[in-house]
Amino acid sequence: AQKVTQAQTEISVVEKEDVTLDCVYETRDTTYYLFWYKQPPSGELVFLIRRNSFDEQNEISGRYSWNFQKSTSSFNFTITASQVVDSAVYFCAPLRMDSSYKLIFGSGTRLLVRP
Amino acid sequence: EAQVTQNPRYLITVTGKKLTVTCSQNMNHEYMSWYRQDPGLGLRQIYYSMNVEVTDKGDVPEGYKVSRKEKRNFPLILESPSPNQTSLYFCASSLLMRDPGNEQFFGPGTRLTVL
Protein backbone atom coordinates (compact mmCIF):
# COMPACT_ATOMS: atom_id res chain seq x y z
CA ALA A 1 0.00 0.00 0.00
CA GLN A 2 1.15 3.53 -0.60
CA LYS A 3 1.98 5.75 2.27
CA VAL A 4 3.50 9.17 2.77
CA THR A 5 5.37 10.55 5.76
CA GLN A 6 5.90 14.24 6.33
CA ALA A 7 7.75 14.09 9.59
CA GLN A 8 7.76 17.84 10.17
CA THR A 9 4.38 18.74 11.59
CA GLU A 10 5.12 22.44 11.89
CA ILE A 11 8.01 24.62 10.82
CA SER A 12 8.48 28.25 11.74
CA VAL A 13 11.01 30.45 9.96
CA VAL A 14 11.75 34.11 9.62
CA GLU A 15 11.15 35.75 6.29
CA LYS A 16 14.01 35.34 3.78
CA GLU A 17 15.20 32.11 5.34
CA ASP A 18 15.40 29.01 3.19
CA VAL A 19 13.28 26.09 4.32
CA THR A 20 13.06 22.45 3.24
CA LEU A 21 9.96 20.33 3.69
CA ASP A 22 10.65 16.62 3.83
CA CYS A 23 8.59 13.91 2.19
CA VAL A 24 9.21 10.19 2.34
CA TYR A 25 6.88 7.85 0.52
CA GLU A 26 6.29 4.13 0.26
CA THR A 27 5.04 2.40 -2.83
CA ARG A 28 5.16 -1.01 -4.44
CA ASP A 29 4.41 0.36 -7.87
CA THR A 30 7.26 0.47 -10.35
CA THR A 31 5.65 3.42 -12.08
CA TYR A 32 4.19 6.11 -9.91
CA TYR A 33 3.54 9.80 -9.54
CA LEU A 34 4.14 12.22 -6.70
CA PHE A 35 2.51 15.58 -6.16
CA TRP A 36 2.94 18.59 -3.93
CA TYR A 37 -0.05 20.74 -3.02
CA LYS A 38 -0.25 23.91 -0.97
CA GLN A 39 -3.19 24.79 1.27
CA PRO A 40 -3.06 28.45 2.35
CA PRO A 41 -5.14 29.73 5.29
CA SER A 42 -8.00 30.45 2.88
CA GLY A 43 -8.40 26.67 2.50
CA GLU A 44 -8.13 25.91 -1.19
CA LEU A 45 -5.70 23.32 -2.53
CA VAL A 46 -3.14 24.67 -4.95
CA PHE A 47 -1.18 22.34 -7.20
CA LEU A 48 2.57 22.95 -7.10
CA ILE A 49 4.26 20.13 -8.96
CA ARG A 50 4.01 16.54 -10.08
CA ARG A 51 6.86 14.12 -10.65
CA ASN A 52 6.80 10.71 -12.26
CA SER A 53 9.09 7.91 -11.20
CA PHE A 54 10.93 7.90 -14.53
CA ASP A 55 12.24 11.38 -14.15
CA GLU A 56 14.76 11.99 -11.40
CA GLN A 57 15.77 15.39 -12.62
CA ASN A 58 15.40 18.02 -9.95
CA GLU A 59 13.09 20.88 -10.72
CA ILE A 60 13.25 24.58 -10.00
CA SER A 61 10.42 27.05 -10.36
CA GLY A 62 11.32 30.50 -9.15
CA ARG A 63 11.93 30.27 -5.40
CA TYR A 64 10.68 26.69 -5.29
CA SER A 65 12.78 23.61 -5.94
CA TRP A 66 12.21 19.91 -5.57
CA ASN A 67 14.70 17.14 -4.95
CA PHE A 68 13.50 13.69 -6.00
CA GLN A 69 15.65 10.78 -4.78
CA LYS A 70 14.22 7.48 -5.87
CA SER A 71 16.87 5.52 -3.99
CA THR A 72 15.71 6.94 -0.66
CA SER A 73 12.03 7.33 -1.64
CA SER A 74 12.13 11.02 -0.89
CA PHE A 75 10.69 14.03 -2.67
CA ASN A 76 11.72 17.10 -0.70
CA PHE A 77 10.58 20.64 -1.33
CA THR A 78 12.71 23.72 -0.72
CA ILE A 79 11.54 27.32 -0.60
CA THR A 80 14.36 29.80 -1.04
CA ALA A 81 14.08 33.25 0.54
CA SER A 82 10.75 32.46 2.13
CA GLN A 83 8.00 35.06 2.23
CA VAL A 84 5.03 35.56 4.53
CA VAL A 85 2.73 34.51 1.68
CA ASP A 86 4.37 31.08 1.75
CA SER A 87 2.68 30.40 5.08
CA ALA A 88 0.44 27.41 4.43
CA VAL A 89 0.07 23.68 4.94
CA TYR A 90 2.02 21.73 2.34
CA PHE A 91 1.07 18.24 1.29
CA CYS A 92 3.18 15.67 -0.47
CA ALA A 93 0.86 13.13 -2.09
CA PRO A 94 1.66 9.96 -4.00
CA LEU A 95 -0.94 8.91 -6.54
CA ARG A 96 -2.51 5.51 -6.00
CA MET A 97 -2.00 3.60 -9.23
CA ASP A 98 -5.25 1.66 -9.27
CA SER A 99 -8.73 2.46 -10.53
CA SER A 100 -9.29 4.98 -7.73
CA TYR A 101 -6.38 7.21 -8.81
CA LYS A 102 -6.65 8.80 -5.42
CA LEU A 103 -4.03 11.06 -3.98
CA ILE A 104 -2.65 9.74 -0.70
CA PHE A 105 -2.51 12.74 1.59
CA GLY A 106 -0.70 12.67 4.88
CA SER A 107 -1.20 15.25 7.59
CA GLY A 108 1.00 17.75 5.80
CA THR A 109 3.57 20.23 7.10
CA ARG A 110 2.38 23.56 8.41
CA LEU A 111 4.84 26.31 7.48
CA LEU A 112 4.73 29.63 9.26
CA VAL A 113 6.87 32.41 7.84
CA ARG A 114 7.22 35.28 10.28
CA PRO A 115 8.01 38.80 9.13
CA GLU B 1 -11.32 30.01 -17.00
CA ALA B 2 -10.68 26.32 -16.30
CA GLN B 3 -12.07 25.53 -12.90
CA VAL B 4 -13.91 23.24 -10.53
CA THR B 5 -16.78 24.90 -8.72
CA GLN B 6 -18.56 23.73 -5.59
CA ASN B 7 -21.75 24.95 -3.98
CA PRO B 8 -22.44 25.85 -1.33
CA ARG B 9 -19.11 26.96 0.07
CA TYR B 10 -20.40 26.95 3.62
CA LEU B 11 -23.36 25.09 5.08
CA ILE B 12 -24.69 24.62 8.57
CA THR B 13 -27.47 22.07 8.83
CA VAL B 14 -29.13 19.77 11.32
CA THR B 15 -28.96 16.03 11.74
CA GLY B 16 -31.12 14.11 9.28
CA LYS B 17 -31.86 16.90 6.82
CA LYS B 18 -30.90 15.72 3.35
CA LEU B 19 -28.44 17.89 1.49
CA THR B 20 -26.54 17.97 -1.76
CA VAL B 21 -23.18 19.57 -2.45
CA THR B 22 -22.76 20.27 -6.13
CA CYS B 23 -19.52 19.99 -8.06
CA SER B 24 -19.03 21.10 -11.63
CA GLN B 25 -15.98 21.27 -13.90
CA ASN B 26 -15.60 22.95 -17.27
CA MET B 27 -12.52 21.10 -18.50
CA ASN B 28 -14.19 18.03 -20.03
CA HIS B 29 -12.44 15.81 -17.50
CA GLU B 30 -13.61 12.24 -17.33
CA TYR B 31 -12.35 11.62 -13.80
CA MET B 32 -13.95 13.24 -10.77
CA SER B 33 -13.58 12.55 -7.10
CA TRP B 34 -14.73 13.66 -3.65
CA TYR B 35 -12.50 13.98 -0.58
CA ARG B 36 -13.13 15.02 2.96
CA GLN B 37 -10.51 16.72 5.11
CA ASP B 38 -10.44 16.33 8.87
CA PRO B 39 -7.81 17.56 11.34
CA GLY B 40 -5.06 15.02 11.83
CA LEU B 41 -6.45 12.71 9.16
CA GLY B 42 -5.50 14.55 5.98
CA LEU B 43 -7.76 14.16 2.98
CA ARG B 44 -9.60 10.91 2.42
CA GLN B 45 -11.38 9.87 -0.73
CA ILE B 46 -15.15 9.35 -0.44
CA TYR B 47 -16.20 8.41 -3.97
CA TYR B 48 -14.77 8.67 -7.43
CA SER B 49 -16.02 8.45 -10.98
CA MET B 50 -14.08 7.39 -14.04
CA ASN B 51 -16.76 8.59 -16.44
CA VAL B 52 -20.48 9.20 -16.90
CA GLU B 53 -22.55 6.58 -15.07
CA VAL B 54 -19.40 4.99 -13.61
CA THR B 55 -18.89 5.59 -9.90
CA ASP B 56 -17.12 3.68 -7.17
CA LYS B 57 -16.47 3.86 -3.45
CA GLY B 58 -13.35 5.37 -2.02
CA ASP B 59 -12.05 4.91 1.50
CA VAL B 60 -14.91 6.49 3.46
CA PRO B 61 -18.17 6.14 1.49
CA GLU B 62 -20.53 5.41 4.40
CA GLY B 63 -23.31 7.96 4.64
CA TYR B 64 -22.70 9.42 1.19
CA LYS B 65 -24.07 8.93 -2.29
CA VAL B 66 -22.98 10.32 -5.62
CA SER B 67 -24.23 10.38 -9.18
CA ARG B 68 -22.62 11.10 -12.51
CA LYS B 69 -25.35 11.70 -15.05
CA GLU B 70 -23.36 14.28 -16.97
CA LYS B 71 -19.65 14.53 -17.52
CA ARG B 72 -19.32 17.97 -15.93
CA ASN B 73 -21.27 17.36 -12.72
CA PHE B 74 -20.60 15.11 -9.75
CA PRO B 75 -22.90 15.93 -6.82
CA LEU B 76 -22.31 14.58 -3.33
CA ILE B 77 -25.48 13.63 -1.52
CA LEU B 78 -25.90 13.20 2.22
CA GLU B 79 -29.27 11.51 2.69
CA SER B 80 -29.29 11.79 6.47
CA PRO B 81 -26.36 13.86 7.67
CA SER B 82 -24.89 13.21 11.09
CA PRO B 83 -22.47 15.29 13.20
CA ASN B 84 -19.55 13.02 12.26
CA GLN B 85 -19.92 14.26 8.69
CA THR B 86 -18.92 17.74 9.79
CA SER B 87 -15.87 18.32 7.62
CA LEU B 88 -14.27 20.23 4.78
CA TYR B 89 -15.18 18.65 1.44
CA PHE B 90 -13.27 18.91 -1.78
CA CYS B 91 -14.23 17.90 -5.28
CA ALA B 92 -11.46 17.15 -7.78
CA SER B 93 -11.27 16.41 -11.48
CA SER B 94 -8.58 15.29 -13.89
CA LEU B 95 -7.91 14.17 -17.43
CA LEU B 96 -6.55 10.84 -16.29
CA MET B 97 -7.12 8.82 -19.43
CA ARG B 98 -4.40 10.67 -21.27
CA ASP B 99 -1.95 10.50 -18.39
CA PRO B 100 -2.68 9.21 -14.88
CA GLY B 101 -0.22 11.73 -13.55
CA ASN B 102 -2.13 14.73 -14.85
CA GLU B 103 -2.85 17.39 -12.29
CA GLN B 104 -5.96 16.85 -10.21
CA PHE B 105 -7.80 20.17 -10.06
CA PHE B 106 -9.54 20.84 -6.78
CA GLY B 107 -12.61 22.90 -6.10
CA PRO B 108 -12.54 25.64 -3.44
CA GLY B 109 -13.97 23.38 -0.75
CA THR B 110 -17.28 23.20 1.10
CA ARG B 111 -17.25 23.58 4.85
CA LEU B 112 -20.13 21.57 6.27
CA THR B 113 -21.30 21.65 9.86
CA VAL B 114 -23.96 19.19 11.00
CA LEU B 115 -25.54 20.06 14.34
Tab-separated table of all heavy atoms in Angstrom, chain B residues 2-3 12 17 20 30 41 49 52 56 64 75 78 83-84 99-100 102 107 111 115:
chain	number	residue	atom	x	y	z
B	2	ALA	N	-10.546	27.723	-16.690
B	2	ALA	CA	-10.675	26.323	-16.304
B	2	ALA	C	-10.833	26.233	-14.788
B	2	ALA	O	-10.005	26.770	-14.047
B	2	ALA	CB	-9.438	25.545	-16.739
B	3	GLN	N	-11.889	25.578	-14.346
B	3	GLN	CA	-12.074	25.531	-12.902
B	3	GLN	C	-13.035	24.429	-12.487
B	3	GLN	O	-13.817	23.906	-13.283
B	3	GLN	CB	-12.582	26.867	-12.382
B	3	GLN	CG	-13.915	27.295	-12.955
B	3	GLN	CD	-14.335	28.671	-12.427
B	3	GLN	OE1	-13.789	29.198	-11.465
B	3	GLN	NE2	-15.311	29.250	-13.060
B	12	ILE	N	-24.391	25.118	7.230
B	12	ILE	CA	-24.689	24.620	8.567
B	12	ILE	C	-26.072	23.996	8.492
B	12	ILE	O	-27.021	24.647	8.045
B	12	ILE	CB	-24.657	25.743	9.620
B	12	ILE	CG1	-23.270	26.389	9.657
B	12	ILE	CG2	-25.017	25.194	11.000
B	12	ILE	CD1	-23.176	27.612	10.573
B	17	LYS	N	-31.288	16.103	7.921
B	17	LYS	CA	-31.856	16.904	6.822
B	17	LYS	C	-31.028	16.719	5.554
B	17	LYS	O	-29.897	17.208	5.457
B	17	LYS	CB	-31.889	18.376	7.226
B	17	LYS	CG	-32.612	19.252	6.228
B	17	LYS	CD	-32.702	20.682	6.723
B	17	LYS	CE	-33.426	21.558	5.716
B	17	LYS	NZ	-33.482	22.965	6.145
B	20	THR	N	-27.374	18.278	-0.604
B	20	THR	CA	-26.538	17.975	-1.764
B	20	THR	C	-25.489	19.063	-1.924
B	20	THR	O	-25.817	20.254	-1.868
B	20	THR	CB	-27.384	17.904	-3.057
B	20	THR	OG1	-28.350	16.854	-2.926
B	20	THR	CG2	-26.489	17.622	-4.266
B	30	GLU	N	-12.787	13.428	-17.534
B	30	GLU	CA	-13.608	12.236	-17.331
B	30	GLU	C	-13.571	11.772	-15.869
B	30	GLU	O	-14.506	11.175	-15.384
B	30	GLU	CB	-13.157	11.097	-18.272
B	30	GLU	CG	-11.926	10.334	-17.850
B	30	GLU	CD	-10.644	11.096	-18.123
B	30	GLU	OE1	-10.697	12.273	-18.527
B	30	GLU	OE2	-9.562	10.508	-17.952
B	41	LEU	N	-6.186	13.873	10.030
B	41	LEU	CA	-6.449	12.713	9.165
B	41	LEU	C	-6.136	13.001	7.702
B	41	LEU	O	-6.273	12.123	6.850
B	41	LEU	CB	-7.904	12.269	9.287
B	41	LEU	CG	-8.316	11.744	10.657
B	41	LEU	CD1	-9.811	11.456	10.698
B	41	LEU	CD2	-7.532	10.479	11.015
B	49	SER	N	-15.312	8.807	-9.765
B	49	SER	CA	-16.023	8.445	-10.983
B	49	SER	C	-15.062	8.522	-12.160
B	49	SER	O	-14.411	9.546	-12.365
B	49	SER	CB	-17.186	9.417	-11.215
B	49	SER	OG	-17.745	9.245	-12.495
B	52	VAL	N	-19.031	9.106	-17.079
B	52	VAL	CA	-20.480	9.196	-16.895
B	52	VAL	C	-21.039	7.818	-16.558
B	52	VAL	O	-20.666	6.820	-17.174
B	52	VAL	CB	-21.143	9.749	-18.170
B	52	VAL	CG1	-22.653	9.723	-18.045
B	52	VAL	CG2	-20.653	11.150	-18.465
B	56	ASP	N	-17.583	4.744	-8.061
B	56	ASP	CA	-17.119	3.684	-7.171
B	56	ASP	C	-16.745	4.281	-5.818
B	56	ASP	O	-16.469	5.488	-5.704
B	56	ASP	CB	-15.921	2.951	-7.761
B	56	ASP	CG	-15.881	1.489	-7.347
B	56	ASP	OD1	-16.527	1.135	-6.321
B	56	ASP	OD2	-15.215	0.699	-8.027
B	64	TYR	N	-22.736	8.553	2.369
B	64	TYR	CA	-22.700	9.424	1.187
B	64	TYR	C	-23.212	8.676	-0.037
B	64	TYR	O	-23.111	7.470	-0.127
B	64	TYR	CB	-21.272	9.887	0.899
B	64	TYR	CG	-20.586	10.591	2.029
B	64	TYR	CD1	-19.750	9.894	2.903
B	64	TYR	CD2	-20.766	11.956	2.231
B	64	TYR	CE1	-19.114	10.526	3.946
B	64	TYR	CE2	-20.123	12.602	3.277
B	64	TYR	CZ	-19.303	11.880	4.131
B	64	TYR	OH	-18.684	12.518	5.164
B	75	PRO	N	-22.385	15.504	-8.125
B	75	PRO	CA	-22.897	15.934	-6.824
B	75	PRO	C	-22.664	14.906	-5.725
B	75	PRO	O	-22.688	13.695	-5.966
B	75	PRO	CB	-24.402	16.114	-7.092
B	75	PRO	CG	-24.692	15.215	-8.256
B	75	PRO	CD	-23.450	15.202	-9.097
B	78	LEU	N	-25.834	13.735	0.859
B	78	LEU	CA	-25.902	13.201	2.217
B	78	LEU	C	-27.382	13.024	2.536
B	78	LEU	O	-28.097	14.000	2.759
B	78	LEU	CB	-25.234	14.143	3.208
B	78	LEU	CG	-23.704	14.179	3.217
B	78	LEU	CD1	-23.163	14.915	1.996
B	78	LEU	CD2	-23.188	14.833	4.488
B	83	PRO	N	-23.568	14.393	12.761
B	83	PRO	CA	-22.472	15.287	13.199
B	83	PRO	C	-21.084	14.802	12.790
B	83	PRO	O	-20.190	15.628	12.565
B	83	PRO	CB	-22.646	15.315	14.722
B	83	PRO	CG	-24.114	15.122	14.919
B	83	PRO	CD	-24.520	14.134	13.863
B	84	ASN	N	-20.888	13.488	12.660
B	84	ASN	CA	-19.546	13.022	12.264
B	84	ASN	C	-19.239	13.279	10.785
B	84	ASN	O	-18.148	12.943	10.307
B	84	ASN	CB	-19.336	11.538	12.623
B	84	ASN	CG	-20.247	10.613	11.862
B	84	ASN	OD1	-20.896	10.998	10.894
B	84	ASN	ND2	-20.300	9.353	12.284
B	99	ASP	N	-3.135	10.653	-19.227
B	99	ASP	CA	-1.945	10.500	-18.389
B	99	ASP	C	-2.411	10.440	-16.938
B	99	ASP	O	-2.935	11.428	-16.436
B	99	ASP	CB	-1.011	11.689	-18.602
B	99	ASP	CG	0.231	11.635	-17.735
B	99	ASP	OD1	0.347	10.718	-16.888
B	99	ASP	OD2	1.089	12.513	-17.900
B	100	PRO	N	-2.209	9.305	-16.276
B	100	PRO	CA	-2.681	9.212	-14.882
B	100	PRO	C	-2.047	10.248	-13.984
B	100	PRO	O	-2.577	10.576	-12.927
B	100	PRO	CB	-2.282	7.804	-14.448
B	100	PRO	CG	-1.732	7.117	-15.630
B	100	PRO	CD	-1.587	8.083	-16.752
B	102	ASN	N	-1.664	13.362	-14.631
B	102	ASN	CA	-2.132	14.734	-14.851
B	102	ASN	C	-2.595	15.353	-13.540
B	102	ASN	O	-3.089	14.667	-12.645
B	102	ASN	CB	-3.293	14.753	-15.850
B	102	ASN	CG	-2.810	14.834	-17.288
B	102	ASN	OD1	-1.698	15.279	-17.541
B	102	ASN	ND2	-3.642	14.398	-18.209
B	107	GLY	N	-11.686	21.805	-6.335
B	107	GLY	CA	-12.612	22.896	-6.098
B	107	GLY	C	-12.207	23.680	-4.859
B	107	GLY	O	-11.272	23.295	-4.153
B	111	ARG	N	-17.337	23.848	3.405
B	111	ARG	CA	-17.248	23.584	4.845
B	111	ARG	C	-18.644	23.277	5.364
B	111	ARG	O	-19.512	24.144	5.367
B	111	ARG	CB	-16.643	24.781	5.568
B	111	ARG	CG	-16.318	24.469	7.026
B	111	ARG	CD	-15.435	25.533	7.659
B	111	ARG	NE	-14.080	25.573	7.137
B	111	ARG	CZ	-13.106	24.744	7.460
B	111	ARG	NH1	-13.338	23.752	8.310
B	111	ARG	NH2	-11.903	24.887	6.944
B	115	LEU	N	-25.261	19.894	12.903
B	115	LEU	CA	-25.540	20.057	14.338
B	115	LEU	C	-26.421	18.932	14.866
B	115	LEU	O	-27.204	18.344	14.117
B	115	LEU	CB	-26.208	21.417	14.579
B	115	LEU	CG	-25.390	22.627	14.096
B	115	LEU	CD1	-26.203	23.892	14.237
B	115	LEU	CD2	-24.100	22.726	14.897
